[in-house]
Amino acid sequence: MPSDVDLSAALSRVKESETSLVAQVLRTTVAAVTSYVAALLLTGPDPQPILSPLTALLVVQVTSYATFTTGVQRVASVVSGVLIAVMFSEAVGLNWWSLTLLLLASLGLGHLIRLGDSINEVAISAMIVLGVSQVADTAWDRIAETLIGAAVGMVFSLVLAPPVHVRPANEAVMSAFDALTRLLDTMAREIGEDVSHARAHGWLEEARRIDRDIVRVDATLSTAEEGTRLNPRGRRATVRVLALRSGLDTAEISAVALRMVCRALSGLYARGEHGEPAYTEIPLATAQSLRSLFHSLAALFAAYGHLVVLHGRALPEEAARAENTQRERLAEALEDRSRTEAILLADSIENPDRWELYGTLLTAVDKLVDETRPAGTPGDLAQRIEERRRRLAEERRLRAVVARPGPVLRERIRRVVAPTDRLLRAPRRLPRPLRHTLRRRT
């Protein structure tokens, strides 16, 4: 039976999801109707400006960043298509070969200026404008309605800013750490028993499933990251989102390391061609040490996940307690790791065929521990957040430089290409000694 706390949390998540859905529907509807009324006032009722609410309907997205990018892409696609249609209308009419050229030019231009999902809109706008008798009037109406709809959608995203979606990302990242913790607890509980190869392989399959689930967690967190951009509400959530991204990076690497642990255990419990054990039975002391180690790692990941969720909130006392708890769990895991290493070394001396699998297991355990280092070490969570923030800023700066190539970029390209170009460039004339040598031979 689920506890009252779990039930209330689930009901709260359902209520929040429904509230967000209703708010998005109302925001989109009001934006579309407002753009229609604005188009009626600015362009008149003849013809009906139905393109304006359609544009607003397509522009208003879940996040402000997506709204602005969609709005810019849609305006650019419509203007490009209209300009191509106007140029074609001056030269040729509408027939099969002019339509072919029109589509090739429209789609090619859309790919050239990287319009994304709005590439087809270039061709659609061009065909609609070219297919009417009054090209100039239709072209202006289509551009005006698109501008009105896109502008209304962008204004609504500023006035009625959408939520940042931090809570779904928070729960998604926490679910990744919960999955790692549950698997480690299961392994600790079952490894002391009579473990079959099928059960050990089941641990490996569960680790693979966790690795696949992290991809979905990454998609949820990416939505939250996008929600902080161009959003008035996003400034306060930036640190929390960066902390969640750092935590998810840790969970992703840890899932790979845990899969290595499970693969080593699956190899230890493997069976031969005739069903006989590939290795002798693991001693009781080794199983008990592994059980204690997995319990410590499970507690460590539970504490680290709790610390990641608290980072960035205005709860300094609770965060300090969580960090102290995480330090204690790390010390216990390190102690169990050292004790397990000594026991595995003694076991591998008596059973040298197992030393390679033991080495793989300990290497993966070291990776699990290193990923959860507290403050004051290279694994510091705050340091990771700051490094990621600088990396994102550098990526944005480089994208801006590449998007607007200038003298500085051309000079850098010249410096990179010039040495290679000199090496590849063939000399116009052979050196004098070599010319004399060839003459004597010929």
Side-chain angles (χ1 to χ4, degrees), residues 146-168:
T146 302
L147 288 172
I148 293 172
V152 171
M154 293 179 182
V155 169
F156 263 76
S157 292
L158 289 177
V159 176
L160 301 176
V164 185
H165 303 285
V166 174
R167 182 169 180 177

mmCIF file with all atom_site columns, all heavy atoms in Angstrom, residues 146-168:
data_model
loop_
_atom_site.group_PDB
_atom_site.id
_atom_site.type_symbol
_atom_site.label_atom_id
_atom_site.label_alt_id
_atom_site.label_comp_id
_atom_site.label_asym_id
_atom_site.label_entity_id
_atom_site.label_seq_id
_atom_site.pdbx_PDB_ins_code
_atom_site.Cartn_x
_atom_site.Cartn_y
_atom_site.Cartn_z
_atom_site.occupancy
_atom_site.B_iso_or_equiv
_atom_site.pdbx_formal_charge
_atom_site.auth_seq_id
_atom_site.auth_comp_id
_atom_site.auth_asym_id
_atom_site.auth_atom_id
_atom_site.pdbx_PDB_model_num
ATOM 1   N N   . THR A 1 146 ? 0.820  37.695 -40.698 1.00 0.00 ? 146 THR A N   1
ATOM 2   C CA  . THR A 1 146 ? 1.844  36.900 -40.009 1.00 0.00 ? 146 THR A CA  1
ATOM 3   C C   . THR A 1 146 ? 2.576  37.734 -38.969 1.00 0.00 ? 146 THR A C   1
ATOM 4   O O   . THR A 1 146 ? 2.826  37.265 -37.843 1.00 0.00 ? 146 THR A O   1
ATOM 5   C CB  . THR A 1 146 ? 2.840  36.341 -41.036 1.00 0.00 ? 146 THR A CB  1
ATOM 6   O OG1 . THR A 1 146 ? 2.141  35.547 -41.982 1.00 0.00 ? 146 THR A OG1 1
ATOM 7   C CG2 . THR A 1 146 ? 3.891  35.483 -40.349 1.00 0.00 ? 146 THR A CG2 1
ATOM 8   N N   . LEU A 1 147 ? 2.911  38.956 -39.298 1.00 0.00 ? 147 LEU A N   1
ATOM 9   C CA  . LEU A 1 147 ? 3.582  39.831 -38.335 1.00 0.00 ? 147 LEU A CA  1
ATOM 10  C C   . LEU A 1 147 ? 2.701  40.107 -37.130 1.00 0.00 ? 147 LEU A C   1
ATOM 11  O O   . LEU A 1 147 ? 3.175  40.101 -35.984 1.00 0.00 ? 147 LEU A O   1
ATOM 12  C CB  . LEU A 1 147 ? 3.981  41.140 -39.020 1.00 0.00 ? 147 LEU A CB  1
ATOM 13  C CG  . LEU A 1 147 ? 5.137  41.067 -40.015 1.00 0.00 ? 147 LEU A CG  1
ATOM 14  C CD1 . LEU A 1 147 ? 5.288  42.402 -40.746 1.00 0.00 ? 147 LEU A CD1 1
ATOM 15  C CD2 . LEU A 1 147 ? 6.425  40.702 -39.305 1.00 0.00 ? 147 LEU A CD2 1
ATOM 16  N N   . ILE A 1 148 ? 1.423  40.342 -37.359 1.00 0.00 ? 148 ILE A N   1
ATOM 17  C CA  . ILE A 1 148 ? 0.513  40.613 -36.235 1.00 0.00 ? 148 ILE A CA  1
ATOM 18  C C   . ILE A 1 148 ? 0.394  39.390 -35.335 1.00 0.00 ? 148 ILE A C   1
ATOM 19  O O   . ILE A 1 148 ? 0.488  39.488 -34.101 1.00 0.00 ? 148 ILE A O   1
ATOM 20  C CB  . ILE A 1 148 ? -0.859 41.042 -36.777 1.00 0.00 ? 148 ILE A CB  1
ATOM 21  C CG1 . ILE A 1 148 ? -0.763 42.402 -37.476 1.00 0.00 ? 148 ILE A CG1 1
ATOM 22  C CG2 . ILE A 1 148 ? -1.884 41.121 -35.638 1.00 0.00 ? 148 ILE A CG2 1
ATOM 23  C CD1 . ILE A 1 148 ? -2.024 42.813 -38.198 1.00 0.00 ? 148 ILE A CD1 1
ATOM 24  N N   . GLY A 1 149 ? 0.179  38.220 -35.936 1.00 0.00 ? 149 GLY A N   1
ATOM 25  C CA  . GLY A 1 149 ? 0.046  37.009 -35.115 1.00 0.00 ? 149 GLY A CA  1
ATOM 26  C C   . GLY A 1 149 ? 1.304  36.684 -34.338 1.00 0.00 ? 149 GLY A C   1
ATOM 27  O O   . GLY A 1 149 ? 1.249  36.338 -33.152 1.00 0.00 ? 149 GLY A O   1
ATOM 28  N N   . ALA A 1 150 ? 2.467  36.809 -34.978 1.00 0.00 ? 150 ALA A N   1
ATOM 29  C CA  . ALA A 1 150 ? 3.727  36.524 -34.285 1.00 0.00 ? 150 ALA A CA  1
ATOM 30  C C   . ALA A 1 150 ? 3.986  37.534 -33.179 1.00 0.00 ? 150 ALA A C   1
ATOM 31  O O   . ALA A 1 150 ? 4.439  37.170 -32.080 1.00 0.00 ? 150 ALA A O   1
ATOM 32  C CB  . ALA A 1 150 ? 4.882  36.522 -35.277 1.00 0.00 ? 150 ALA A CB  1
ATOM 33  N N   . ALA A 1 151 ? 3.692  38.812 -33.446 1.00 0.00 ? 151 ALA A N   1
ATOM 34  C CA  . ALA A 1 151 ? 3.921  39.843 -32.426 1.00 0.00 ? 151 ALA A CA  1
ATOM 35  C C   . ALA A 1 151 ? 3.024  39.628 -31.218 1.00 0.00 ? 151 ALA A C   1
ATOM 36  O O   . ALA A 1 151 ? 3.462  39.743 -30.057 1.00 0.00 ? 151 ALA A O   1
ATOM 37  C CB  . ALA A 1 151 ? 3.690  41.230 -33.025 1.00 0.00 ? 151 ALA A CB  1
ATOM 38  N N   . VAL A 1 152 ? 1.756  39.305 -31.445 1.00 0.00 ? 152 VAL A N   1
ATOM 39  C CA  . VAL A 1 152 ? 0.843  39.061 -30.325 1.00 0.00 ? 152 VAL A CA  1
ATOM 40  C C   . VAL A 1 152 ? 1.303  37.855 -29.513 1.00 0.00 ? 152 VAL A C   1
ATOM 41  O O   . VAL A 1 152 ? 1.288  37.865 -28.274 1.00 0.00 ? 152 VAL A O   1
ATOM 42  C CB  . VAL A 1 152 ? -0.592 38.868 -30.845 1.00 0.00 ? 152 VAL A CB  1
ATOM 43  C CG1 . VAL A 1 152 ? -1.511 38.388 -29.719 1.00 0.00 ? 152 VAL A CG1 1
ATOM 44  C CG2 . VAL A 1 152 ? -1.123 40.172 -31.423 1.00 0.00 ? 152 VAL A CG2 1
ATOM 45  N N   . GLY A 1 153 ? 1.718  36.792 -30.192 1.00 0.00 ? 153 GLY A N   1
ATOM 46  C CA  . GLY A 1 153 ? 2.196  35.615 -29.465 1.00 0.00 ? 153 GLY A CA  1
ATOM 47  C C   . GLY A 1 153 ? 3.416  35.906 -28.618 1.00 0.00 ? 153 GLY A C   1
ATOM 48  O O   . GLY A 1 153 ? 3.520  35.452 -27.471 1.00 0.00 ? 153 GLY A O   1
ATOM 49  N N   . MET A 1 154 ? 4.361  36.694 -29.140 1.00 0.00 ? 154 MET A N   1
ATOM 50  C CA  . MET A 1 154 ? 5.555  37.040 -28.368 1.00 0.00 ? 154 MET A CA  1
ATOM 51  C C   . MET A 1 154 ? 5.215  37.944 -27.192 1.00 0.00 ? 154 MET A C   1
ATOM 52  O O   . MET A 1 154 ? 5.769  37.782 -26.087 1.00 0.00 ? 154 MET A O   1
ATOM 53  C CB  . MET A 1 154 ? 6.572  37.723 -29.286 1.00 0.00 ? 154 MET A CB  1
ATOM 54  C CG  . MET A 1 154 ? 7.153  36.819 -30.364 1.00 0.00 ? 154 MET A CG  1
ATOM 55  S SD  . MET A 1 154 ? 8.331  37.690 -31.437 1.00 0.00 ? 154 MET A SD  1
ATOM 56  C CE  . MET A 1 154 ? 8.752  36.400 -32.592 1.00 0.00 ? 154 MET A CE  1
ATOM 57  N N   . VAL A 1 155 ? 4.316  38.897 -27.403 1.00 0.00 ? 155 VAL A N   1
ATOM 58  C CA  . VAL A 1 155 ? 3.925  39.785 -26.302 1.00 0.00 ? 155 VAL A CA  1
ATOM 59  C C   . VAL A 1 155 ? 3.248  38.991 -25.188 1.00 0.00 ? 155 VAL A C   1
ATOM 60  O O   . VAL A 1 155 ? 3.488  39.231 -23.995 1.00 0.00 ? 155 VAL A O   1
ATOM 61  C CB  . VAL A 1 155 ? 3.013  40.909 -26.821 1.00 0.00 ? 155 VAL A CB  1
ATOM 62  C CG1 . VAL A 1 155 ? 2.386  41.677 -25.665 1.00 0.00 ? 155 VAL A CG1 1
ATOM 63  C CG2 . VAL A 1 155 ? 3.801  41.857 -27.705 1.00 0.00 ? 155 VAL A CG2 1
ATOM 64  N N   . PHE A 1 156 ? 2.412  38.042 -25.555 1.00 0.00 ? 156 PHE A N   1
ATOM 65  C CA  . PHE A 1 156 ? 1.758  37.218 -24.537 1.00 0.00 ? 156 PHE A CA  1
ATOM 66  C C   . PHE A 1 156 ? 2.776  36.399 -23.749 1.00 0.00 ? 156 PHE A C   1
ATOM 67  O O   . PHE A 1 156 ? 2.596  36.153 -22.561 1.00 0.00 ? 156 PHE A O   1
ATOM 68  C CB  . PHE A 1 156 ? 0.723  36.300 -25.197 1.00 0.00 ? 156 PHE A CB  1
ATOM 69  C CG  . PHE A 1 156 ? -0.669 36.830 -25.148 1.00 0.00 ? 156 PHE A CG  1
ATOM 70  C CD1 . PHE A 1 156 ? -1.054 37.847 -25.995 1.00 0.00 ? 156 PHE A CD1 1
ATOM 71  C CD2 . PHE A 1 156 ? -1.591 36.338 -24.240 1.00 0.00 ? 156 PHE A CD2 1
ATOM 72  C CE1 . PHE A 1 156 ? -2.334 38.354 -25.963 1.00 0.00 ? 156 PHE A CE1 1
ATOM 73  C CE2 . PHE A 1 156 ? -2.873 36.845 -24.196 1.00 0.00 ? 156 PHE A CE2 1
ATOM 74  C CZ  . PHE A 1 156 ? -3.269 37.863 -25.047 1.00 0.00 ? 156 PHE A CZ  1
ATOM 75  N N   . SER A 1 157 ? 3.844  35.970 -24.398 1.00 0.00 ? 157 SER A N   1
ATOM 76  C CA  . SER A 1 157 ? 4.867  35.219 -23.663 1.00 0.00 ? 157 SER A CA  1
ATOM 77  C C   . SER A 1 157 ? 5.634  36.102 -22.687 1.00 0.00 ? 157 SER A C   1
ATOM 78  O O   . SER A 1 157 ? 6.199  35.597 -21.712 1.00 0.00 ? 157 SER A O   1
ATOM 79  C CB  . SER A 1 157 ? 5.842  34.568 -24.650 1.00 0.00 ? 157 SER A CB  1
ATOM 80  O OG  . SER A 1 157 ? 5.208  33.553 -25.376 1.00 0.00 ? 157 SER A OG  1
ATOM 81  N N   . LEU A 1 158 ? 5.681  37.402 -22.944 1.00 0.00 ? 158 LEU A N   1
ATOM 82  C CA  . LEU A 1 158 ? 6.327  38.316 -22.007 1.00 0.00 ? 158 LEU A CA  1
ATOM 83  C C   . LEU A 1 158 ? 5.379  38.731 -20.893 1.00 0.00 ? 158 LEU A C   1
ATOM 84  O O   . LEU A 1 158 ? 5.760  38.781 -19.719 1.00 0.00 ? 158 LEU A O   1
ATOM 85  C CB  . LEU A 1 158 ? 6.827  39.561 -22.756 1.00 0.00 ? 158 LEU A CB  1
ATOM 86  C CG  . LEU A 1 158 ? 8.031  39.366 -23.677 1.00 0.00 ? 158 LEU A CG  1
ATOM 87  C CD1 . LEU A 1 158 ? 8.347  40.655 -24.400 1.00 0.00 ? 158 LEU A CD1 1
ATOM 88  C CD2 . LEU A 1 158 ? 9.243  38.892 -22.889 1.00 0.00 ? 158 LEU A CD2 1
ATOM 89  N N   . VAL A 1 159 ? 4.132  39.036 -21.250 1.00 0.00 ? 159 VAL A N   1
ATOM 90  C CA  . VAL A 1 159 ? 3.166  39.496 -20.244 1.00 0.00 ? 159 VAL A CA  1
ATOM 91  C C   . VAL A 1 159 ? 2.700  38.338 -19.379 1.00 0.00 ? 159 VAL A C   1
ATOM 92  O O   . VAL A 1 159 ? 2.675  38.428 -18.138 1.00 0.00 ? 159 VAL A O   1
ATOM 93  C CB  . VAL A 1 159 ? 1.975  40.187 -20.934 1.00 0.00 ? 159 VAL A CB  1
ATOM 94  C CG1 . VAL A 1 159 ? 0.919  40.594 -19.900 1.00 0.00 ? 159 VAL A CG1 1
ATOM 95  C CG2 . VAL A 1 159 ? 2.448  41.401 -21.721 1.00 0.00 ? 159 VAL A CG2 1
ATOM 96  N N   . LEU A 1 160 ? 2.318  37.221 -20.008 1.00 0.00 ? 160 LEU A N   1
ATOM 97  C CA  . LEU A 1 160 ? 1.884  36.026 -19.288 1.00 0.00 ? 160 LEU A CA  1
ATOM 98  C C   . LEU A 1 160 ? 2.957  34.951 -19.483 1.00 0.00 ? 160 LEU A C   1
ATOM 99  O O   . LEU A 1 160 ? 2.807  34.026 -20.278 1.00 0.00 ? 160 LEU A O   1
ATOM 100 C CB  . LEU A 1 160 ? 0.530  35.548 -19.816 1.00 0.00 ? 160 LEU A CB  1
ATOM 101 C CG  . LEU A 1 160 ? -0.622 36.553 -19.721 1.00 0.00 ? 160 LEU A CG  1
ATOM 102 C CD1 . LEU A 1 160 ? -1.872 35.990 -20.372 1.00 0.00 ? 160 LEU A CD1 1
ATOM 103 C CD2 . LEU A 1 160 ? -0.902 36.907 -18.263 1.00 0.00 ? 160 LEU A CD2 1
ATOM 104 N N   . ALA A 1 161 ? 4.052  35.125 -18.773 1.00 0.00 ? 161 ALA A N   1
ATOM 105 C CA  . ALA A 1 161 ? 5.195  34.215 -18.944 1.00 0.00 ? 161 ALA A CA  1
ATOM 106 C C   . ALA A 1 161 ? 4.822  32.799 -18.528 1.00 0.00 ? 161 ALA A C   1
ATOM 107 O O   . ALA A 1 161 ? 4.180  32.590 -17.488 1.00 0.00 ? 161 ALA A O   1
ATOM 108 C CB  . ALA A 1 161 ? 6.378  34.705 -18.108 1.00 0.00 ? 161 ALA A CB  1
ATOM 109 N N   . PRO A 1 162 ? 5.174  31.804 -19.331 1.00 0.00 ? 162 PRO A N   1
ATOM 110 C CA  . PRO A 1 162 ? 4.872  30.415 -18.973 1.00 0.00 ? 162 PRO A CA  1
ATOM 111 C C   . PRO A 1 162 ? 5.724  29.952 -17.801 1.00 0.00 ? 162 PRO A C   1
ATOM 112 O O   . PRO A 1 162 ? 6.757  30.556 -17.491 1.00 0.00 ? 162 PRO A O   1
ATOM 113 C CB  . PRO A 1 162 ? 5.212  29.642 -20.255 1.00 0.00 ? 162 PRO A CB  1
ATOM 114 C CG  . PRO A 1 162 ? 6.229  30.490 -20.936 1.00 0.00 ? 162 PRO A CG  1
ATOM 115 C CD  . PRO A 1 162 ? 5.873  31.908 -20.616 1.00 0.00 ? 162 PRO A CD  1
ATOM 116 N N   . PRO A 1 163 ? 5.323  28.877 -17.138 1.00 0.00 ? 163 PRO A N   1
ATOM 117 C CA  . PRO A 1 163 ? 6.132  28.368 -16.017 1.00 0.00 ? 163 PRO A CA  1
ATOM 118 C C   . PRO A 1 163 ? 7.472  27.833 -16.495 1.00 0.00 ? 163 PRO A C   1
ATOM 119 O O   . PRO A 1 163 ? 7.661  27.527 -17.682 1.00 0.00 ? 163 PRO A O   1
ATOM 120 C CB  . PRO A 1 163 ? 5.250  27.257 -15.424 1.00 0.00 ? 163 PRO A CB  1
ATOM 121 C CG  . PRO A 1 163 ? 4.357  26.837 -16.540 1.00 0.00 ? 163 PRO A CG  1
ATOM 122 C CD  . PRO A 1 163 ? 4.099  28.078 -17.348 1.00 0.00 ? 163 PRO A CD  1
ATOM 123 N N   . VAL A 1 164 ? 8.400  27.701 -15.555 1.00 0.00 ? 164 VAL A N   1
ATOM 124 C CA  . VAL A 1 164 ? 9.759  27.258 -15.878 1.00 0.00 ? 164 VAL A CA  1
ATOM 125 C C   . VAL A 1 164 ? 9.865  25.739 -15.905 1.00 0.00 ? 164 VAL A C   1
ATOM 126 O O   . VAL A 1 164 ? 10.836 25.193 -16.405 1.00 0.00 ? 164 VAL A O   1
ATOM 127 C CB  . VAL A 1 164 ? 10.756 27.871 -14.866 1.00 0.00 ? 164 VAL A CB  1
ATOM 128 C CG1 . VAL A 1 164 ? 12.187 27.543 -15.246 1.00 0.00 ? 164 VAL A CG1 1
ATOM 129 C CG2 . VAL A 1 164 ? 10.576 29.370 -14.805 1.00 0.00 ? 164 VAL A CG2 1
ATOM 130 N N   . HIS A 1 165 ? 8.897  25.037 -15.342 1.00 0.00 ? 165 HIS A N   1
ATOM 131 C CA  . HIS A 1 165 ? 8.875  23.570 -15.327 1.00 0.00 ? 165 HIS A CA  1
ATOM 132 C C   . HIS A 1 165 ? 10.056 22.993 -14.540 1.00 0.00 ? 165 HIS A C   1
ATOM 133 O O   . HIS A 1 165 ? 10.661 21.991 -14.943 1.00 0.00 ? 165 HIS A O   1
ATOM 134 C CB  . HIS A 1 165 ? 8.876  23.006 -16.748 1.00 0.00 ? 165 HIS A CB  1
ATOM 135 C CG  . HIS A 1 165 ? 7.754  23.488 -17.602 1.00 0.00 ? 165 HIS A CG  1
ATOM 136 N ND1 . HIS A 1 165 ? 6.456  23.038 -17.466 1.00 0.00 ? 165 HIS A ND1 1
ATOM 137 C CD2 . HIS A 1 165 ? 7.723  24.427 -18.593 1.00 0.00 ? 165 HIS A CD2 1
ATOM 138 C CE1 . HIS A 1 165 ? 5.676  23.660 -18.336 1.00 0.00 ? 165 HIS A CE1 1
ATOM 139 N NE2 . HIS A 1 165 ? 6.417  24.510 -19.025 1.00 0.00 ? 165 HIS A NE2 1
ATOM 140 N N   . VAL A 1 166 ? 10.375 23.648 -13.427 1.00 0.00 ? 166 VAL A N   1
ATOM 141 C CA  . VAL A 1 166 ? 11.469 23.134 -12.596 1.00 0.00 ? 166 VAL A CA  1
ATOM 142 C C   . VAL A 1 166 ? 11.029 21.905 -11.812 1.00 0.00 ? 166 VAL A C   1
ATOM 143 O O   . VAL A 1 166 ? 11.800 20.966 -11.628 1.00 0.00 ? 166 VAL A O   1
ATOM 144 C CB  . VAL A 1 166 ? 11.977 24.240 -11.653 1.00 0.00 ? 166 VAL A CB  1
ATOM 145 C CG1 . VAL A 1 166 ? 13.012 23.687 -10.687 1.00 0.00 ? 166 VAL A CG1 1
ATOM 146 C CG2 . VAL A 1 166 ? 12.589 25.369 -12.454 1.00 0.00 ? 166 VAL A CG2 1
ATOM 147 N N   . ARG A 1 167 ? 9.786  21.917 -11.343 1.00 0.00 ? 167 ARG A N   1
ATOM 148 C CA  . ARG A 1 167 ? 9.342  20.803 -10.511 1.00 0.00 ? 167 ARG A CA  1
ATOM 149 C C   . ARG A 1 167 ? 9.338  19.468 -11.263 1.00 0.00 ? 167 ARG A C   1
ATOM 150 O O   . ARG A 1 167 ? 9.817  18.464 -10.718 1.00 0.00 ? 167 ARG A O   1
ATOM 151 C CB  . ARG A 1 167 ? 7.958  21.099 -9.948  1.00 0.00 ? 167 ARG A CB  1
ATOM 152 C CG  . ARG A 1 167 ? 7.447  20.010 -9.022  1.00 0.00 ? 167 ARG A CG  1
ATOM 153 C CD  . ARG A 1 167 ? 6.208  20.435 -8.284  1.00 0.00 ? 167 ARG A CD  1
ATOM 154 N NE  . ARG A 1 167 ? 5.742  19.382 -7.410  1.00 0.00 ? 167 ARG A NE  1
ATOM 155 C CZ  . ARG A 1 167 ? 4.699  19.503 -6.592  1.00 0.00 ? 167 ARG A CZ  1
ATOM 156 N NH1 . ARG A 1 167 ? 4.031  20.643 -6.541  1.00 0.00 ? 167 ARG A NH1 1
ATOM 157 N NH2 . ARG A 1 167 ? 4.327  18.506 -5.827  1.00 0.00 ? 167 ARG A NH2 1
ATOM 158 N N   . PRO A 1 168 ? 8.810  19.385 -12.502 1.00 0.00 ? 168 PRO A N   1
ATOM 159 C CA  . PRO A 1 168 ? 8.933  18.102 -13.220 1.00 0.00 ? 168 PRO A CA  1
ATOM 160 C C   . PRO A 1 168 ? 10.382 17.672 -13.424 1.00 0.00 ? 168 PRO A C   1
ATOM 161 O O   . PRO A 1 168 ? 10.697 16.478 -13.312 1.00 0.00 ? 168 PRO A O   1
ATOM 162 C CB  . PRO A 1 168 ? 8.228  18.382 -14.555 1.00 0.00 ? 168 PRO A CB  1
ATOM 163 C CG  . PRO A 1 168 ? 7.304  19.504 -14.281 1.00 0.00 ? 168 PRO A CG  1
ATOM 164 C CD  . PRO A 1 168 ? 8.001  20.350 -13.265 1.00 0.00 ? 168 PRO A CD  1
#
